[in-house]
Amino acid sequence: MIKFENVVFGYGEEKNALNYVSFHISEGEQVGLIGANGAGKSTTFKVILGLVHPDAGEIRLFNKDMEQISPKEKADIGATLSDSGFSNCLTVKQIVHILTETYEKFDREMFEKRCSLFSIPMDKKLKEFSTGMKAKLKVLTATSFDARLLVLDEP
């Protein structure tokens, strides 16, 4: 499912965030990355999602080179990132509309049931949410459309 071979990534003049990282994850496996702040965990997730491009190394996702991954295959990835999310001016009801339009397999009924179960208000703007409520919403979003791959950074 995911193959990293000698991946190197650096931010400008700083030392490498990823320094010859190699690992393989097979379909069906659950893997957690642990390490100190600055160890490269979030950067690894960003590379997997194609948000940043490595300086060196080979990355394969779904048994294809990253450049060969189609938009339809990218839509099979559910993700939460520590430093991103929806605009704070949106309500969950508005986010449901965005998800419905973005993900062919978005399960609106399941998402809304889970929002109710976890006390996520549909009409409240995200800027009024607690940090915990925002975290719950990100995980609910990532798991609401039968993703083939889940990438959860600080869920």
Side-chain angles (χ1 to χ4, degrees):
M1 167 128 341
I2 300 173
K3 177 184 174 186
F4 261 49
E5 288 292 332
N6 297 314
V7 175
V8 176
F9 179 83
Y11 290 102
E13 298 293 318
E14 297 179 31
K15 68 176 187 153
N16 288 336
L18 302 178
N19 206 3
Y20 299 99
V21 174
S22 295
F23 62 84
H24 300 211
I25 301 172
S26 299
E27 190 140 0
E29 284 187 312
Q30 297 177 14
V31 176
L33 299 182
I34 58 172
N37 289 342
K41 301 176 300 291
S42 293
T43 301
T44 299
F45 296 137
K46 289 177 183 177
V47 171
I48 291 169
L49 296 170
L51 300 174
V52 296
H53 301 285
D55 300 317
E58 177 190 357
I59 302 162
R60 294 182 60 83
L61 184 62
F62 305 135
N63 295 316
K64 295 181 177 181
D65 289 330
M66 288 296 288
E67 298 81 30
Q68 297 174 330
I69 303 298
S70 70
K72 187 170 177 70
E73 289 168 312
K74 286 181 183 179
D76 277 338
I77 302 171
T80 67
L81 297 176
S82 60
D83 58 355
S84 71
F86 293 103
S87 166
N88 282 328
C89 296
L90 294 174
T91 65
V92 175
K93 197 177 281 187
Q94 291 168 318
I95 290 169
V96 166
H97 177 72
I98 293 168
L99 294 171
T100 301
E101 295 297 316
T102 304
Y103 295 103
E104 186 178 303
K105 298 187 292 183
F106 175 65
D107 189 336
R108 180 182 187 145
E109 182 179 337
M110 178 182 65
F111 178 80
E112 289 177 348
K113 281 182 184 177
R114 287 180 178 173
C115 284
S116 177
L117 178 68
F118 289 103
S119 301
I120 303 293
M122 300 299 284
D123 293 317
K124 196 174 188 180
K125 291 190 178 190
L126 294 189
K127 65 182 170 187
E128 300 172 41
F129 278 30
S130 68
T131 302
M133 286 172 60
K134 287 179 183 178
K136 287 180 199 176
L137 180 63
K138 287 196 288 186
V139 172
L140 291 177
T141 300
T143 60
S144 66
F145 60 93
D146 192 30
R148 184 173 172 198
L149 171 65
L150 284 174
V151 177
L152 305 175
D153 188 9
E154 298 186 30

